[in-house]
Amino acid sequence: MTLTTVSQNKSHGGVQGVYRHASQETKTEMTFSVFVPPHADGAKLPVVWYLSGLTCTHANVTEKGEFRAACAELGLVFVAPDTSPRGDGVPGDPNNAYDFGLGAGFYVDATEAPFAKNYRMWSYVTEELPSVVAANFPVDPRRQSVMGHSMGGHGALTVALRNPDRYRAASAFSPIVAPSQVPWGEKALGGYLGSDRAAWRKHDAVALIEDGARVSDMLVDVGTADQFLTQQLRPELLKAACEKASIPLLLRKQEGYDHSYYFISTYMADHLRWHAARLGR
């Protein structure tokens, strides 16, 4: 598969790149970023996937996430995909709302018209893009983990729960833990997957745990000043599900922090060290 290099910049001894390719899954061009830390020739490095939230592209975490110093120290490749297909002819929300359509793919493979043709973000982030990254960057496919923010926190937890043998660790900032039970998720899952709520369960972290999915442990940070905490995120539902399933969950409530990248960047290095400990160096 041909990659187009959009930009490359040296940072912390490594290379921060932005790349574009034609996706077979989304039938569009997709842009993503990769940070490769300094490393010995021939080395294969562990990779952390970062899934972004509503309205975001690859650029939000790339520009604001403050992950490169920790990744350079820990020897981690950091990959940030886009959140949805984009381009001429890709349908968005009929009312141009921010929480559905463009920038809001919710990491599912849509089955409903007119979204089914392009909105195949589950297959893109779990199958196609990992193959592209493995073919073009010095990553060790045996050492992968996943993290994300908000909608991307939802994506990260569901990706890990459904692929426990592939991802060694999963963490999230401000995740939508039970999209079947909150307005953001009900709109998105209904719009992409239809009205059969049983089909939603494989894209709902709490439902997956209730249905038997397991991971070794999880790290979740939420801010106590997050304006979406009580209506859209509802971390207490994840806590209850993990307790019932005996899944170790480190749920940290960070006093005074909101939903923004000021919060994420403050605790990004903590998360990356937590991932590194589970990925092995």
Side-chain angles (χ1 to χ4, degrees):
M1 180 171 293
T2 302
L3 283 187
T4 299
T5 300
V6 178
S7 64
Q8 286 184 330
N9 298 93
K10 187 170 183 178
S11 180
H12 294 278
V15 176
Q16 177 63 67
V18 177
Y19 307 93
R20 185 168 57 243
H21 73 111
S23 168
Q24 296 178 1
E25 289 292 346
T26 68
K27 309 296 190 294
T28 65
E29 286 200 329
M30 296 293 288
T31 301
F32 63 98
S33 75
V34 181
F35 176 70
V36 178
H39 61 281
D41 289 346
K44 295 291 187 180
L45 307 175
V47 55
V48 177
W49 297 87
Y50 180 92
L51 305 184
S52 295
L54 289 167
T55 75
C56 291
T57 70
H58 71 281
N60 298 74
V61 69
T62 304
E63 296 170 1
K64 302 176 184 178
E66 300 183 19
F67 56 84
R68 280 173 286 272
C71 284
E73 172 195 338
L74 299 166
L76 300 174
V77 174
F78 189 97
V79 182
D82 203 346
T83 55
S84 77
R86 301 176 193 272
D88 293 341
V90 176
D93 185 274
N95 298 314
N96 295 316
Y98 74 94
D99 57 356
F100 187 76
L102 300 176
F106 264 80
Y107 305 101
V108 304
D109 286 346
T111 57
E112 297 297 296
F115 305 102
K117 176 182 176 182
N118 304 116
Y119 284 79
R120 295 188 52 79
M121 291 303 297
W122 178 269
S123 292
Y124 179 72
V125 300
T126 64
E127 299 295 340
E128 184 178 15
L129 188 57
S131 295
V132 171
V133 168
N136 290 278
F137 299 93
V139 300
D140 181 356
R142 300 169 301 173
R143 292 188 290 164
Q144 299 187 66
S145 67
V146 61
M147 63 190 301
H149 169 233
S150 193
M151 176 185 73
H154 138 75
L157 297 181
T158 57
V159 161
L161 284 162
R162 288 175 59 183
N163 297 276
D165 295 331
R166 186 188 308 178
Y167 301 97
R168 294 193 186 182
S171 74
F173 298 100
S174 315
I176 306 168
V177 304
S180 300
Q181 301 183 53
V182 301
W184 276 344
E186 289 179 323
K187 178 178 180 178
L189 297 182
Y192 293 132
L193 303 178
S195 59
D196 181 6
R197 297 177 73 96
W200 301 5
R201 295 186 67 82
K202 66 180 182 179
H203 290 291
D204 181 311
V206 168
L208 283 166
I209 292 169
E210 290 173 349
D211 292 344
R214 298 291 182 265
V215 291
S216 58
D217 59 350
M218 297 181 194
L219 168 63
V220 171
D221 274 327
V222 297
T224 61
D226 191 318
Q227 65 269 42
F228 305 113
L229 186 62
T230 57
Q231 185 179 27
Q232 304 283 11
L233 308 182
R234 303 190 64 187
E236 72 279 0
L237 298 178
L238 181 65
K239 180 180 179 182
C242 285
E243 287 177 349
K244 187 172 182 180
S246 299
I247 297 174
L249 168 65
L250 179 55
L251 174 60
R252 305 190 302 191
K253 297 181 178 180
Q254 305 294 2
E255 187 66 31
Y257 284 91
D258 58 18
H259 201 70
S260 73
Y261 269 88
Y262 295 107
F263 167 49
I264 296 166
S265 62
T266 300
Y267 295 99
M268 177 65 81
D270 279 0
H271 279 242
L272 291 170
R273 290 189 174 91
W274 186 88
H275 282 263
R278 286 150 180 80
L279 289 167
R281 294 188 60 184

